[in-house]
Amino acid sequence: MSQRIPLIAGNWKMHKTGTQAVEAVHQLKHLVASAANVEIMVAPPFTALFQVGNALKNSNITLGAQNLYWEPQGAFTGEISAEMLMDAGCRYVIIGHSERRQYFGETDETVNKKIKAALAAQLIPVFCVGELESERDAENTFSVLDKQIRDGLNNVGFNGKPHIVIAYEPVWAIGTGKSATREQAQEVHLFIRELLKKQYGHEFSSLVRILYGGSVNPGNIKSLMEMPDVDGALVGGASLVPETFGKLVFYND
Ligand code: PGA
């Protein structure tokens, strides 16, 4: 049996004001209060982090952010540091989401700096990787992922501790209603785990959780989670409604 506790994570993207986010987590807290052997995370927008962090105290839901900047402080108008996220109560931070890469010019190099900054502040990066549809069609999926992971983790040390979560999110599956099949997900997750094994050793790679993301919903989560290397889900659209998110948390019922 795997020692990896499944992580079901909601990425709320640019949805919900602080008030709306707090209302949603109040509902979610009740819905998932009895959830066992699963970790739950929500990542609201920056403006809602503090309020949501307070609302989640003494609950079984952890807080994540959707992005950070790598410098600790300074004249970087509009940016947010790792220390600020820690102060707001975050444990996780999503890094390198495909929307950040696509619309905000993030590269493997900036992702690498962000991962280092998160780790230095004891935040756990949820490091997103994934191929475009054209890259899959050209049979470049594995080479694309190989580069994203090697460059994203360039000179990143973990001292043996699995302080990172990888999220495999095929770009063609995000927000499209067209999830990867569980076989496609498993194949890539295994590839990622083997890559981590080569770089960081067997124990580390066997402890790191690899989430699948891209059109996860209550109808497909169980089948995805049955695959041996799928350790959770990073969920966008279906995480916005507490009842639906609750169903994802209880995927095994
Ligand atoms: P989706 O988004 O679940 O709406 O496809 C996933 C994500 O972007 O993390």
Side-chain angles (χ1 to χ4, degrees), residues 12 16-26 29 42 44-59 61 63-64 84-85 87-90:
W12 286 355
K16 300 190 193 292
T17 62
T19 311
Q20 291 164 344
V22 166
E23 202 182 306
V25 294
H26 277 312
K29 266 188 349 187
V42 291
F46 286 142
T47 48
L49 284 177
F50 230 97
Q51 275 161 283
V52 170
N54 282 333
L56 291 181
K57 280 194 182 126
N58 303 316
S59 80
I61 306 172
L63 186 67
M84 293 170 187
L85 298 181
D87 183 57
C90 291

Side-chain angles (χ1 to χ4, degrees), residues 11 13 94 97-99 128 169 173-177 213-217 234-239:
N11 171 12
K13 308 192 180 182
I94 298 171
H97 190 280
S98 66
E99 287 150 17
C128 300
E169 300 207 304
I174 296 179
T176 59
S215 297
V216 173
N217 61 51
L234 181 56
V235 187
S239 73

Side-chain angles (χ1 to χ4, degrees), residues 34-244:
S34 65
N37 299 320
V38 61
E39 198 181 341
I40 307 159
M41 183 267 268
V42 291
F46 286 142
T47 48
L49 284 177
F50 230 97
Q51 275 161 283
V52 170
N54 282 333
L56 291 181
K57 280 194 182 126
N58 303 316
S59 80
N60 58 350
I61 306 172
T62 51
L63 186 67
Q66 300 174 19
N67 185 28
L68 86 173
Y69 191 60
W70 58 80
E71 292 290 345
Q73 67 207 14
F76 304 104
T77 302
E79 295 297 324
I80 300 283
S81 73
E83 189 190 349
M84 293 170 187
L85 298 181
M86 286 297 281
D87 183 57
C90 291
R91 177 165 167 74
Y92 291 96
V93 56
I94 298 171
I95 295 178
H97 190 280
S98 66
E99 287 150 17
R100 303 266 351 142
R101 295 177 190 255
Q102 194 179 344
Y103 305 132
F104 302 100
E106 294 212 359
T107 63
D108 294 332
E109 288 66 41
T110 59
V111 165
N112 178 249
K113 290 184 186 183
K114 291 182 177 195
I115 289 175
K116 287 176 178 160
L119 289 168
Q122 316 283 329
L123 276 167
I124 301 180
V126 178
F127 169 28
C128 300
V129 294
E131 81 286 2
L132 302 171
E133 186 152 42
S134 56
E135 292 166 337
R136 177 164 281 267
D137 290 346
E139 300 190 354
N140 287 333
T141 298
F142 294 120
S143 59
V144 166
L145 288 163
D146 186 89
K147 181 173 175 357
Q148 287 178 347
I149 290 174
R150 277 181 205 279
D151 291 356
L153 295 181
N154 188 30
N155 287 320
V156 176
F158 291 100
N159 294 323
K161 297 200 183 77
H163 279 171
I164 192 161
V165 173
I166 313 275
Y168 168 54
E169 300 207 304
V171 180
W172 47 271
I174 296 179
T176 59
K178 189 172 127 192
S179 163
T181 65
R182 63 189 204 151
E183 289 76 20
Q184 285 171 326
Q186 169 59 26
E187 186 183 34
V188 171
H189 285 219
L190 183 60
F191 173 81
I192 294 172
R193 203 175 303 284
E194 291 297 321
L195 197 59
L196 294 175
K197 188 167 156 185
K198 269 186 233 149
Q199 285 194 36
Y200 296 105
H202 174 75
E203 185 171 351
F204 178 88
S205 70
S206 67
L207 292 172
V208 167
R209 288 172 298 181
I210 306 176
L211 314 184
Y212 168 76
S215 297
V216 173
N217 61 51
N220 61 19
I221 189 166
K222 186 173 190 330
S223 138
L224 286 158
M225 291 294 292
E226 278 165 5
M227 302 313 271
D229 289 290
V230 177
D231 308 314
L234 181 56
V235 187
S239 73
L240 291 171
V241 177
E243 287 77 14
T244 316

